[in-house]
Amino acid sequence: MTASDPDPVDDIVATIARSAAEIRQGLVGRRGKADEENPSGETQAEADIWADELLADRLSSIDGVGQYASEERSEIIDAGDDQVYIAVDPLDGSSNLKSNNTMGTVFGIYDEPLPAPGSALVASGWILYGPITTMACARDGSVTKYELTGGGRTVVEEDVTLPDEPLVYGFGGRVPHWHDDFREYVREIESDPGHKLRYGGAMIGDVNQVLTYGGIFAYPALEDSPRGKLRLQFEGNPIAYLIESAGGRSSDGSQSILEVEPTDLHDRVPLHVGNTGFIDQLEAALA
Ligand code: F6P
């Protein structure tokens, strides 16, 4: 990108924010399973496919966008330009559709073609479909929180940082499949009466609790799944970039998620994000 090129990042973030109300509304009547699997082998919901198509159409037509990639499609859409490259999880936690619990939309905007390392991110964020719709967005090392109403966006907090005193923890994966050193670490976190369990089955809901109250969210490496469950391009990198921009840390167990070199668009990564002290302690436990 040269200084004279228009910056597409604002357009992309505004388009995602505007689309959120429509995505939320469009969930009604699309809560069933589609007869298809995503590239990671998970059964898709009708809403996953619909939200992906809506975002693909809108985001790939923005000037400056080189690629659109999503957790819900195996191939990258070539959008023709070469300034930024977008990776999206259109509906994070869509298994919560059935029970009508929290879900989100996650996005990462990279300045390198995909798959790219998290160090190539120029912005990232998430929409949270909770009792109200909110957005958290990281850019230039700073995080802003918004409330979204219809097509509008209101700033509720700028320069968001994780609270110093961590309160919440949430860990994914079946406990019998956790590695012993991770299980030991969890016991230490749980044994402090100042810490509370929060786990809702949608990463965005759980990570947003960490951003709000301080703490840790992890979907670790498992005995039957050494790379965990979450996808590096669509979930790991965007979340890590935002949490690090808010003064926290991310780790795959030994290094920042943003340092992990991708080998494939749909790579998974063991994900741990939260307050610096919690992640330091985690890396020491797993060393
Ligand atoms: O994208 C995968 C996802 O839905 C995350 O949002 C969530 O954290 C995780 O899967 C939940 O997995 P599990 O059902 O194993 O707890």
Side-chain angles (χ1 to χ4, degrees), residues 32-48:
K33 299 262 177 233
D35 204 10
E36 293 184 44
E37 286 189 348
N38 71 15
S40 304
E42 297 161 348
T43 305
Q44 292 173 303
E46 290 170 56
D48 284 321

Side-chain angles (χ1 to χ4, degrees), residues 71 92-93 199 201-203 217 219 229-231 235:
E71 189 172 304
D92 170 65
Y199 190 78
M203 178 192 65
F217 170 79
Y219 208 112
K229 178 177 185 189
L230 303 178
R231 268 55 49 129
E235 297 167 308

Side-chain angles (χ1 to χ4, degrees), residues 182-211:
F182 183 76
R183 190 176 296 117
E184 205 46 52
Y185 168 75
V186 172
R187 284 215 184 96
E188 283 173 37
I189 300 292
E190 285 176 331
S191 65
D192 184 327
H195 300 156
K196 295 194 215 182
L197 169 66
R198 290 286 183 270
Y199 190 78
M203 178 192 65
I204 285 307
D206 296 324
V207 173
N208 201 66
Q209 296 243 17
V210 170
L211 184 63

Side-chain angles (χ1 to χ4, degrees), residues 136-160:
C137 184
R139 196 176 177 188
D140 300 327
S142 140
V143 175
T144 307
K145 279 188 189 171
Y146 304 87
E147 287 175 355
L148 307 181
T149 43
R153 180 164 42 137
T154 309
V155 173
V156 287
E157 196 182 341
E158 289 182 293
D159 298 324
V160 178

